[in-house]
Amino acid sequence: GDSVTQMEGPVTLSEEAFLTINCTYTATGYPSLFWYVQYPGEGLQLLLKATKADDKGSNKGFEATYRKETTSFHLEKGSVQVSDSAVYFCALKGYGGSQGNLIFGKGTKLSVKP
Amino acid sequence: DTAVSQTPKYLVTQMGNDKSIKCEQNLGHDTMYWYKQDSKKFLKIMFSYNNKELIINETVPNRFSPKSPDKAHLNLHINSLELGDSAVYFCASSQPGQGHYEQYFGPGTRLTVT
């Protein structure tokens, strides 16, 4: 079945450091890919998405490119801030189907120190 | 205005009890979901539901049942609670016409079974 694998955390960075969180997927067909963020004590929020190969999703300085050849969707940010501390989830939605069930990776906790 | 709301935020109860968690969305979405997040932050779909179709994750015990009095509500009933049911439960919604590309999550309900 479809699955998502993302790098184990936690990740601890200093402010203004470069961030990469790796995500790879296994899916049949042409899934849509997402990054969700969960701030402490809150529900998940969509951070960015890409719906076809070579699409780049971007939001709040974060970027991820849908790479079909490597089945990857790595999250990057050039300069992290303390306020970026959260848990980040990579997810996919399979192609087709009547409903939008998301399959999530296990989450990567990011802590940014001042 | 809160898009997806859940009550209660915290629920502490004893093994063997029956409890319900309520979810309401004011986004006009047709599809709603329940997810379970375990202590390691792993998120797993439990149910997805619209007014025509209920899809149940086959790993969910039949002690769990979704109830939808109308399109804006999807409540989660749990019978004979067990210690392993302790988790954070998230409700979410999406709109088929938008390709289910974004799911809106509630703030979560932390269930503790003692």
Side-chain angles (χ1 to χ4, degrees):
Chain A
D2 296 351
S3 65
V4 174
T5 302
Q6 62 182 102
M7 63 186 285
E8 298 269 343
V11 174
T12 302
L13 296 174
S14 297
E15 209 165 20
E16 299 184 1
F18 184 85
L19 169 70
T20 300
I21 301 178
N22 290 338
C23 172
T24 58
Y25 68 89
T26 302
T28 54
Y30 305 95
S32 297
L33 302 174
F34 308 84
W35 278 99
Y36 277 80
V37 58
Q38 184 180 25
Y39 297 104
E42 298 183 11
L44 279 75
Q45 304 172 26
L46 179 65
L47 181 60
L48 52 85
K49 66 178 186 282
T51 58
K52 60 182 186 296
D54 299 325
D55 268 1
K56 176 186 281 188
S58 61
N59 186 26
K60 299 181 180 179
F62 291 88
E63 293 183 341
T65 301
Y66 188 146
R67 302 283 190 200
K68 190 165 178 63
E69 64 275 14
T70 55
T71 61
S72 65
F73 192 55
H74 304 321
L75 181 69
E76 296 182 337
K77 186 173 185 181
S79 176
V80 293
Q81 305 300 313
V82 172
S83 57
D84 293 327
S85 298
V87 181
Y88 292 82
F89 293 89
C90 186
L92 71 81
K93 183 183 90 69
Y95 180 77
S98 61
Q99 299 192 45
N101 296 0
L102 292 174
I103 296 170
F104 286 92
K106 293 189 175 182
T108 302
K109 183 176 182 179
L110 170 66
S111 296
V112 181
K113 306 299 184 185
Chain B
D1 287 343
T2 303
V4 182
S5 59
Q6 297 178 226
T7 54
K9 191 170 175 65
Y10 301 96
L11 180 56
V12 181
T13 188
Q14 292 183 330
M15 285 175 55
N17 285 347
D18 302 337
K19 290 293 180 184
S20 296
I21 305 172
K22 295 184 177 181
C23 177
E24 177 181 3
Q25 54 95 3
N26 62 9
L27 299 167
H29 288 169
D30 289 328
T31 304
M32 297 182 72
Y33 311 82
W34 278 104
Y35 289 87
K36 180 180 180 180
Q37 186 176 46
D38 64 22
S39 58
K40 296 183 178 180
K41 298 289 189 183
F42 185 51
L43 267 165
K44 195 168 186 180
I45 183 76
M46 300 177 71
F47 306 99
S48 61
Y49 182 80
N50 63 26
N51 58 1
K52 299 176 184 177
E53 188 177 18
L54 170 65
I55 298 178
I56 302 172
N57 185 319
E58 62 187 12
T59 67
V60 175
N62 58 14
R63 298 181 295 104
F64 290 78
S65 58
K67 305 282 187 204
S68 182
D70 55 58
K71 195 176 86 165
H73 296 83
L74 184 66
N75 303 325
L76 182 65
H77 294 267
I78 316 169
N79 294 326
S80 302
L81 278 156
E82 300 177 359
L83 292 177
D85 297 332
S86 296
V88 181
Y89 292 84
F90 288 98
C91 177
S93 71
S94 68
Q95 185 60 11
Q98 297 166 7
H100 297 295
Y101 288 142
E102 179 166 1
Q103 291 190 14
Y104 293 80
F105 282 77
T109 295
R110 181 175 294 277
L111 171 65
T112 302
V113 182
T114 62

